[in-house]
Amino acid sequence: MSRPLPFGSPGTTGRLDLADVMRQVAQGDKEAFSTVYDALAPMVFGIVIKVVRDRAQSEEVAQEVMIDLWRQAARYRPDSASVTTWAATIAHRRAVDRVRSAQASTDREQARAAREHTTAFDEVAERVETRLDSEQVRRCLRGLTELQRQAVTLAYYQGLTCREIAEVLDAPLPTVKTRMRDGLIRLRDCMGVTT
């Protein structure tokens, strides 16, 4: 397990108070930050790698945490927590955020892939179904009498009314209506449609 380096600098016999060093960091002291970095980086990395579990990402997150400590040094309050606890909290939060972000990204990619796969399948299935239906309609139309086929075709493919069909076929209107009705009944039966 990684342990933080002792809080002291070469040539001193006592332990260095990290809270005092953080006050110096808050004032922009780069050497003080170097001391904080040396003291906390191993602990921060240890926390992050336990959560993230990927070394490369853990190194990246640990680096982000150390940058946060530099940038947020002025926000540190010694009466709230020790510097070590504060840094550990930031490290843990950053690591959890990275895992959640990675999981959300994976979830989005899987959902997109599922939609694309389903869409492609649905399009193919729809085309096949449409083609089969078209072939069945053509086969069933061939089973009608010539007069029934003409009446149904004029009505459904050209959008003519019964009166217009009667004019085109030069047939009485009641005859056209009867042909249409009989033709549609035969189509229904041929297509297997139940009422």
Side-chain angles (χ1 to χ4, degrees), residues 4-5 7 18 21-22 25-26 29-48 57-74 76 83-84 86-95 98:
L5 300 174
F7 304 136
L18 215 49
V21 177
M22 282 304 290
V25 171
D29 188 332
K30 292 179 183 177
E31 286 186 35
F33 181 70
S34 179
T35 301
V36 169
Y37 190 97
D38 291 342
L40 298 178
M43 177 205 63
V44 165
F45 181 74
I47 291 169
V48 171
Q57 285 193 35
S58 296
E59 290 171 355
E60 189 177 310
V61 172
Q63 189 66 32
E64 292 170 2
V65 170
M66 298 311 295
I67 291 169
D68 280 351
L69 293 179
W70 169 259
R71 289 180 180 161
Q72 297 180 26
Y76 171 68
V83 173
T84 305
W86 183 61
T89 302
I90 293 172
H92 187 263
R93 287 181 184 159
R94 275 286 191 146
R98 175 63 63 98

Side-chain angles (χ1 to χ4, degrees), residues 98-116:
R98 175 63 63 98
V99 169
R100 286 179 180 159
S101 175
Q103 184 61 48
S105 177
T106 300
D107 291 347
R108 281 191 304 273
E109 287 175 15
Q110 288 175 347
R112 189 188 79 234
R115 282 192 309 270
E116 288 173 1

